[in-house]
Amino acid sequence: DAAIRGQRSRSDNSFNKETSGQRQAGDPKSDIASVWKDRYVRLLADLENTKKRLARDSAQEVERQKEKLLNDVLQFADGLDLALLNISSENDSRNILQGIELLRDILDKFFVKYDVTIIAAWGEVFDPNLHDAIGMVQHPAAAPNTVVRVERKGYLYRGKLLRPAQVLVAAS
C-alpha cells in the first residue's frame, strides 16, 4: 500500500508540475476549450456529411424502387398493345376496343407524368444501347442494319434505359 501511495503521489506531483508548466506557457482553460471546440466542429462536420450521404442514398433508393415499379407496369403496357393488335374491328368488339384504347391512354398519361418515354425504333439504325436484336430478316426496301420490326417496345426513364426495344433488323 505504501509503495502504491508513493507512486501515486509521485505521478500526482509530476502531473501537477506539467500542468503548472502549461499554466505558465498558456492558459489551460483556453487550451481545453480549443480542443473541445475543435472536436465539436469536426463532429458537426461529420454530422452534416452523414445527413447529406443519407439523403443521397435515400434518393437513390427511391429511384431504384421507381424503376422496379415502372418495369412491372411495362408488362401491363405490353398486354394492352397485344390486345389492340389482335382485336377485330367487328361491332361486337368495338366496345372492348374502346375500353382498351382508354386504358392505353391512361397509361400513356402515367408515363408522361413519370417521365417515361418510348424508344423510337422502327426505321432507325440499330443501336445496341437502345435495341435488343432478336433476329435478322431479309428486307429489300430497308437499308442494312435498320430496324424493320418492333416486337416489344423499349422505354427510357428520365433519359436512362429502362428496357431495350426488342427488334428485328434488316440483314445486309
Side-chain angles (χ1 to χ4, degrees), residues 7 12 30 35 78 86 105 114 153 157 163 170:
Q7 284 180 333
D12 289 344
S30 67
V35 167
D78 293 340
N86 295 313
D105 289 342
Y114 288 98
K153 293 178 183 177
Y157 171 59
R163 182 180 78 187

Side-chain angles (χ1 to χ4, degrees), residues 50-67:
T50 301
K51 282 181 184 179
K52 290 176 186 175
R53 188 187 80 245
L54 289 174
R56 183 180 58 245
D57 290 349
S58 77
Q60 289 173 344
E61 180 60 25
V62 166
E63 285 300 308
R64 281 192 294 274
Q65 293 301 322
K66 279 183 184 177
E67 286 181 23

Side-chain angles (χ1 to χ4, degrees), residues 126-137:
F126 176 75
D127 180 355
N129 296 316
L130 299 175
H131 308 131
D132 183 17
I134 57 173
M136 295 189 83
V137 294

Side-chain angles (χ1 to χ4, degrees), residues 53-149:
R53 188 187 80 245
L54 289 174
R56 183 180 58 245
D57 290 349
S58 77
Q60 289 173 344
E61 180 60 25
V62 166
E63 285 300 308
R64 281 192 294 274
Q65 293 301 322
K66 279 183 184 177
E67 286 181 23
K68 285 174 66 176
L69 172 69
L70 291 171
N71 270 313
D72 291 342
V73 171
L74 294 182
Q75 295 174 15
F76 178 68
D78 293 340
L80 288 176
D81 289 339
L82 283 172
L84 287 171
L85 286 173
N86 295 313
I87 198 162
S88 68
S89 60
E90 296 175 8
N91 286 338
D92 296 340
S93 303
R94 190 70 191 141
N95 290 336
I96 295 171
L97 179 62
Q98 288 174 340
I100 293 171
E101 287 172 341
L102 177 65
L103 288 174
R104 184 61 197 182
D105 289 342
I106 291 169
L107 186 62
D108 288 341
K109 288 176 185 173
F110 173 82
F111 285 157
V112 167
K113 180 179 178 181
Y114 288 98
D115 199 18
V116 175
T117 54
I118 297 172
I119 296 171
W122 190 84
E124 299 290 323
V125 174
F126 176 75
D127 180 355
N129 296 316
L130 299 175
H131 308 131
D132 183 17
I134 57 173
M136 295 189 83
V137 294
Q138 295 297 327
H139 198 285
N145 208 27
T146 301
V147 175
V148 292
R149 186 167 160 185

